[in-house]
Amino acid sequence: MRVTLSTLDTCESSFTPLVVIELAQDVKDETKEWLKNRIIAKKKDGGAQLLFRPLLNKYEKETLENQNLYLVGASNVRLLLGAEAVGLVKECTDAAMRAFTYGTRHNFKGFHDNNNDFLTMAECQFIIKHELENLRARDEKMIPGYPQAKLYPGKSLMRRLLTSGIVTQVFPLHDTEALKKLEDTWYTRFALKYQPIDSIRSYFGETIALYFGFLEYFTFALIPMAIIGLPYYLFVWEDYDKYVIFASFNLIWSTVILEVWKRGCANMTYRWGTLVMKRQFEEPRPGFHGVLGINSVTGREEPLYSSYKRQLRIYLVSLPFVCLCLYFSLYVMMIYFDMEDWALSLHEDSGSEWTSLLLYVPSIVYAVVIEIMNRLYRYAAEFLTSWENHRLESAYQNHLILKVLVFNFLNCFASLFYIAFVLKDMKLLRQSLATLLITSQILNQVVESLLPYWLQRKYCARVKRKVQALKSDVDTTLYEQVLLEKEMGTYLGTFDDYLELFLQFGYVSLFSCVYPLAAAFAVLNNFTEVNSDALKMCRVFKRPFAEPSASIGVWQLAFETMSVISVVTNCALIGMSPQVNAVFPESKTDLVLIVVAVEHALLALKFILAFAIPDKPRHIQQKLARLEFESLEALKQQQMKLVAENLKEEYQEDGKEAT
């Protein structure tokens, strides 16, 4: 018998909870009942057809504190049908990757009717999130009990509930047993080993697994630079002409590692199925607002906002604000140089050991100020980008990334460019680069992982004492878990993690010929970064919803742009060295022309390497071509079948007319 959504039961009293919905404390009973009915209603009636129950039953509510928390799950068949709806791609028995369909489920590797592990828990939670977000208003004009929360046909109910403050948060639950197994193989035992990337993907999804995969790859790719840079630092510190070989290796290295990463990324994402996963039609983001109208593409009623008004906001408000922030960053930089002059003059006057230590204070203070300014600007950039009212989440992210990257690049590297090309003080450049790199790494470790972990530990201890004080005779394991997780911080995505690696890549590559030890410090930091980020994901933040990804996205372009800039800076630094200048004592024009020619040759070499190294391995290209061929053949057969049916109907009608 063919299973359809209409035959599924949504009244199971006991099920494995996958997602938690927290409502505001003062939500009206009619709203709760309406939300419950919409979640458990059949798909043909406009529901999500999921399983839904409160965290506490009537007896437990008398014993434990009611938190307005609700659990959402789904039957195995419902999840399989949902996997087909979201377009999950799975491996078939013939080793090909194909979009999963419930009708052909037995053709997929690892599927059995009594096997509930065919879908990972991350995929199950992603499916439930998709179904909740696709609960849409039908004939309702408002949320029951809240006349100010207006609805219109096709509006996402969950997004309206969140923006209205009726639902405070929706988050996936941790699987305590699976999490413990993951931790044991990931970070609890400090050792130099590869990360369990496939296990991370199964638990957290592809986006986070790709970040940790890139972090691991980037760390190992830095090791050759660190090994080669160490003897340069120890033995030929002042011989800038010998740095030409090191800088040239750096430039080729930065190109090769990014191209090889694309190939490794393609291998991983093909194996996970996201490389061939069809992109879903992007819905308007939750914060998007405007006048109700008809979307000319979908034909649905939704808010519409003039792109002309958005452009005015961008160019008349956002752009001047960003320019003002950049000016302020340069102003702070000049204050830093005044502090350097003061510290240097003080040391020259006294010449004591204490004042020699004081020489590092301005750089340390400036590094701390840079981190504070970066974080403050990030909040301002998020507010501005949200105020610009972008319709799609992808457009919002692109504009936010552009704003943040421009400011962070100038804020972190402007002083180094000024020292290198205006002051031309290589000793100060080495000192500033080392101080900025090491200080930013220490601050990031403390602020992102250690401090939140310490605060979370204190909160966990308070909750456990509170639950134990209740002296309840009911099982409080799930209650305690939900209570702990709902107060954890929300992981806001991989943006900050990639940004940290991007800035680190800049410190290593932009001025490599001046401070070869930068790669060694980056390697040491990243070995601890892997463990601190793993701790952060498992114990500090709520479990994030899985998000399918086929690559690291716009960050690939950002890293490639940084590698191009590094060619220019390193060639210019080598051209400014005393040894190179001694070769052209009279004609500086010849020196400039030769440096420009070398820079162009290296850039040409970079682009040739990028072109020569395919983004996808040959076997992946062949498999993708095979899938495209199969899709075209299936479409052709479907069209032929449709034509045959039409001809059959016409023949039958002609036969009736003849009789």
Side-chain angles (χ1 to χ4, degrees), residues 161-181:
L161 289 166
L162 285 165
T163 54
S164 301
I166 299 168
V167 171
T168 56
Q169 60 178 333
V170 180
F171 62 92
L173 269 178
H174 274 295
D175 182 337
T176 51
E177 292 183 7
L179 181 62
K180 186 68 172 66
K181 290 179 182 177

Side-chain angles (χ1 to χ4, degrees), residues 342-354:
W342 170 77
L344 183 62
S345 62
L346 189 65
H347 176 64
E348 289 174 350
D349 292 340
S350 63
S352 66
E353 294 183 2
W354 291 105

Side-chain angles (χ1 to χ4, degrees), residues 74 87 112 116 133 142 188 199 221 227 250 274 286 291 328 331 426 432 442 448 470 512 556 561 588 600:
H112 303 288
N116 292 333
E133 287 184 343
M142 64 176 188
T188 52
S199 299
I227 293 173
N250 183 327
T274 52
V291 180
F328 180 74
Y331 182 76
M426 296 302 133
S432 299
I442 293 172
E448 291 183 5
L470 295 172
S512 59
Q556 180 78 36
T561 304
K588 297 300 180 184
H600 277 61

Side-chain angles (χ1 to χ4, degrees), residues 93 139 146 358 387 457 475 530 569:
T93 51
D139 53 357
Y146 294 87
L358 190 64
W387 178 73
R457 284 284 297 269
D475 184 11
V530 168
T569 56

Side-chain angles (χ1 to χ4, degrees), residues 309-324:
K309 292 181 180 178
R310 185 181 300 113
Q311 295 300 321
L312 285 178
R313 290 186 173 191
I314 291 172
Y315 290 110
L316 296 184
V317 179
S318 296
L319 183 60
F321 177 80
V322 172
C323 293
L324 182 64

